[in-house]
Amino acid sequence: MPKRTDIEKILVIGSGPIVIGQACEFDYSGTQACRILKAEGYKVVLINTNPATIMTDPMMADSTYIEPIIPEVIEKIIEKERPDALLPTLGGQTALNAAVAVSELGILDKYNVEVIGADIHSIKKAEDRESFKKAMQKIGLDLPMSFQVDNMRDAQSALSKIGFPVIIRPCFTLGGVGGGVAYNNDEFKHIVQKGMAASMVGAVLIEESVIGWKEYELEVMRDHNDNVVIICSIENFDAMGVHTGDSITVAPAQTLTDKEYQIMRDASIACIREIGVDTGGSNIQFGLNPRDGRMVIIEMNPRVSRSSALASKATGFPIAKIAAKLAVGYTLDEIPNDITKKTPACFEPTIDYCVVKIPRFTFEKFKGADTTLTTAMKSVGEAMSIGRTFKEALQKGLRSMEIGLSGLEDLKTEPSPDQLSERLRVPNSQRILCVKHAIANGMSLDELYEITAIDPWFLHNMKELVEFEGRLKSVSRKGLAASGKELLREAKEYGFSDKQLAGIFGTDEITVRRHRKKIGLTPTYKLVDTCGAEFEAFTPYYYSTYEWEDESRA
């Protein structure tokens, strides 16, 4: 079906100021939407409070308003510009909440403005915790036991039915703002009050704890002809209890069996259909109990999300661009894949590499901040890396953080046994280095798993890195030149940087680099092609690795 011709002018709501949980990812998404809509011949009106973004460049929209994203201002813009449609699904939670607010005030009906991407009913159904719970129960999906409340008396009643620990999730907030995990009554009262204050509707969900379960996300897209595709599966390195924005995440999911993945895939498709997002992308989160295999659906974002930006970069599939096209009437089978130029957007991406995202924290800039990682997001950025294996991508990601790491390094200071145990048990920004320290000092993977709930597959990969580093150290006394090309090649395949090797062999980075080039050990480049090399890729989007075949073009 071709694009819609019954609408001419579209109002796009941006994400507002860059804050924790809602950062540059939405500038990327909103910019893509403005570019695509203009290219399709629509007049674009943009509202965004933040002038320091790409999307507020005068070239991006026909009219740009740098104004507060509040109903009163939006109404004045609508009154002046008279848009035919409102697109709220590419501006994060700010845009969704604003769209709901102007709709409830009757502003959209007053000026005959249609919401595209996801209608108001679908947004409410997904964002209101009780409505979402009923919708998922209707289609037979399991959820954690929960109660939505808007006062402390009902909250205490819900607590008596669930017991500690308990998770508090505010309605209509971003990045888990206002939420948390309560282990006692004082914590419970404090978090509930904070959550109600943060919620747009003054309500929170009191939820059964699934801390320690495995956490997954699926990026899903649907068009108005009910075509649905899974763009990417993402697995959290940390177990449930840590906000996905604060966890190391890995794509594609590494520890699901095929049967588990297919069940999760079917559940995500059923979810997006029931919620009713009929033109665009959604992010759907699941928890999986590793002890008995019970799978529960946690929540759904009926919009392009932070994870959507990660999935786009990880797969080469332009989620924001496709979402904008779907919103104006196209279907997935009509939109060509920019990378292959032969496959349509209804082809699900297939990747033959591993992507790792690592969050960046700057607690030193926030005096008195609690550095414990919980269900409320605290990271201020992230780095994404691509490698042929998890080990390679993990090491590349750690040195991309610009915090002085050159890979999976040792802790700067030696912790006491009690300190190490606490830092392993309580999620924090240094925990992955603590895991390495524990492995290097003889802690068994079984014990580590019991303390951290990090899946044994990830722990085993980290142990292999520690053991290989031990191999390198055992031959380092012979010198770099005597180590042999094959051992160095294996080191590079494991993601060891020249700087790491220099530290192990007692030399400098430049010497390692010169020796590596002298023996013909240089990186090769692989294409991010969305289709596992099944079709030729036309977009030169590469990642470096150490293999025999080089896919770069001269």
Side-chain angles (χ1 to χ4, degrees):
M1 181 175 176
K3 69 178 184 182
R4 291 179 59 174
T5 56
D6 58 330
I7 56 177
E8 296 179 359
K9 185 182 285 189
I10 300 171
L11 173 61
V12 175
I13 303 180
S15 60
I18 294 174
V19 297
I20 290 175
Q22 181 156 294
C24 304
E25 292 87 348
F26 293 105
D27 182 30
Y28 163 81
S29 301
T31 299
Q32 291 294 309
C34 292
R35 288 181 64 248
I36 293 306
L37 295 176
K38 283 195 71 175
E40 290 292 337
Y42 296 101
K43 295 286 187 182
V44 176
V45 179
L46 170 68
I47 176 174
N48 196 346
T49 59
N50 189 353
T53 61
I54 302 299
M55 73 182 304
T56 48
D57 184 289
M59 298 295 291
M60 290 297 165
D62 295 284
S63 301
T64 300
Y65 292 85
I66 300 175
E67 300 284 352
I69 302 175
I70 55 177
E72 297 85 349
V73 173
I74 296 173
E75 181 175 16
K76 288 180 180 178
I77 293 171
I78 290 174
E79 183 180 15
K80 178 182 177 182
E81 295 286 347
R82 296 301 174 107
D84 302 297
L86 170 67
L87 179 60
T89 53
L90 291 142
Q93 196 69 40
T94 298
L96 279 193
N97 289 354
V100 171
V102 295
S103 173
E104 290 182 339
L105 290 169
I107 296 169
L108 301 183
D109 289 338
K110 178 180 178 181
Y111 295 99
N112 196 29
V113 179
E114 176 187 355
V115 178
I116 58 176
D119 62 34
I120 297 299
H121 175 71
S122 297
I123 294 171
K124 287 182 176 180
K125 202 172 182 181
E127 294 291 330
D128 182 83
R129 302 287 184 177
E130 189 63 25
S131 298
F132 181 74
K133 176 182 175 180
K134 290 177 180 177
M136 295 303 97
Q137 289 173 335
K138 177 183 173 183
I139 57 176
L141 296 185
D142 193 7
L143 304 95
M145 182 194 302
S146 62
F147 301 90
Q148 183 169 315
V149 300
D150 58 10
N151 61 77
M152 189 57 71
R153 193 173 88 175
D154 289 346
Q156 290 286 359
S157 175
L159 175 63
S160 68
K161 296 181 178 71
I162 297 174
F164 291 114
V166 66
I167 296 175
I168 297 98
R169 300 183 189 275
C171 302
F172 289 90
T173 65
L174 178 82
V177 170
V181 183
Y183 294 89
N184 57 57
N185 209 47
D186 288 342
E187 290 179 349
F188 179 76
K189 290 179 179 177
H190 173 69
I191 298 172
V192 168
Q193 288 171 345
K194 187 172 64 172
M196 287 179 182
S199 170
M200 186 178 83
V201 293
V204 298
L205 194 74
I206 311 299
E207 185 177 84
E208 166 194 1
S209 173
V210 287
I211 292 174
W213 291 27
K214 294 157 72 171
E215 184 170 3
Y216 300 89
E217 299 176 69
L218 265 60
E219 289 295 324
V220 189
M221 297 202 82
R222 180 177 182 237
D223 65 26
H224 60 80
N225 277 354
D226 200 26
N227 297 308
V228 186
V229 292
I230 310 299
I231 306 305
C232 189
S233 62
I234 302 171
E235 177 170 358
N236 284 19
F237 177 87
D238 295 293
M240 292 286 295
V242 176
H243 190 278
T244 184
D246 285 351
S247 176
I248 294 171
T249 59
V250 186
Q254 301 292 307
T255 69
L256 282 175
T257 65
D258 182 63
K259 182 178 180 180
E260 288 171 332
Y261 173 72
Q262 296 303 331
I263 292 171
M264 195 173 290
R265 184 181 185 281
D266 290 346
S268 66
I269 293 172
C271 173
I272 197 171
R273 284 174 171 159
E274 174 59 29
I275 295 300
V277 177
D278 58 2
T279 56
S282 295
N283 168 260
I284 304 173
Q285 293 173 289
F286 295 90
L288 187 72
N289 190 333
R291 289 174 171 80
D292 61 14
R294 179 189 171 198
M295 185 192 80
V296 295
I297 187 165
I298 303 297
E299 65 180 9
M300 173 202 193
N301 292 310
R303 56 174 169 81
V304 172
S305 65
R306 286 178 308 97
S307 297
S308 304
L310 170 68
S312 291
K313 295 164 190 169
T315 63
F317 188 101
I319 292 175
K321 175 182 177 180
I322 303 299
K325 282 181 171 283
L326 296 179
V328 294
Y330 288 106
T331 55
L332 287 162
D333 56 303
E334 293 175 326
I335 304 170
N337 183 312
D338 289 344
I339 288 182
T340 66
K341 300 191 183 300
K342 294 179 181 177
T343 58
C346 59
F347 273 47
E348 293 188 351
T350 301
I351 59 179
D352 53 3
Y353 46 80
C354 183
V355 179
V356 172
K357 177 222 77 178
I358 304 178
R360 168 75 183 270
F361 301 90
T362 55
F363 288 120
E364 69 278 3
K365 295 182 180 180
F366 301 93
K367 191 174 181 180
D370 180 5
T371 61
T372 302
L373 305 183
T374 67
T375 58
M377 185 174 164
K378 297 179 180 180
S379 72
V380 297
E382 59 195 31
M384 188 195 88
S385 60
I386 304 179
R388 296 300 276 179
T389 64
F390 168 72
K391 289 187 278 288
E392 180 188 8
L394 176 66
Q395 296 231 76
K396 289 172 73 174
L398 286 168
R399 60 177 168 269
S400 299
M401 297 296 294
E402 298 182 350
I403 55 174
L405 294 175
S406 55
L408 186 62
E409 294 186 350
D410 298 321
L411 288 166
K412 302 297 183 187
T413 56
E414 180 87 12
S416 69
D418 287 344
Q419 287 174 328
L420 180 62
S421 179
E422 181 70 5
R423 289 165 71 180
L424 288 171
R425 184 183 65 81
V426 180
N428 61 86
S429 61
Q430 294 286 304
R431 186 156 73 155
I432 191 162
L433 301 184
C434 294
V435 170
K436 187 207 170 177
H437 182 87
I439 293 172
N441 284 274
M443 185 178 288
S444 72
L445 299 192
D446 287 342
E447 186 178 358
L448 258 178
Y449 173 65
E450 286 301 315
I451 295 172
T452 65
I454 297 169
D455 191 90
W457 187 89
F458 294 117
L459 297 176
H460 180 73
N461 271 267
M462 292 183 67
K463 184 179 181 182
E464 289 183 332
L465 282 172
V466 171
E467 290 174 344
F468 187 81
E469 185 176 349
R471 280 178 59 195
L472 290 172
K473 289 178 177 177
S474 69
V475 301
S476 62
R477 63 182 182 275
K478 298 178 183 178
L480 183 64
S483 62
K485 181 177 179 179
E486 289 309 309
L487 183 65
L488 290 181
R489 170 174 288 281
E490 194 173 353
K492 301 306 286 186
E493 290 173 349
Y494 271 43
F496 283 86
S497 64
D498 288 351
K499 188 175 181 180
Q500 281 175 287
L501 294 174
I504 292 169
F505 284 94
T507 183
D508 59 82
E509 190 176 352
I510 297 299
T511 299
V512 173
R513 183 172 184 272
R514 285 173 179 164
H515 175 71
R516 179 171 54 75
K517 293 183 74 175
K518 181 181 177 181
I519 62 176
L521 187 54
T522 55
T524 55
Y525 295 87
K526 298 288 186 179
L527 277 162
V528 174
D529 57 17
T530 79
C531 62
E534 187 176 352
F535 296 91
E536 182 183 358
F538 292 89
T539 302
Y541 177 26
Y542 298 102
Y543 66 97
S544 65
T545 188
Y546 283 80
E547 283 196 348
W548 304 105
E549 182 187 16
D550 194 311
E551 297 176 357
S552 63
R553 297 162 190 157

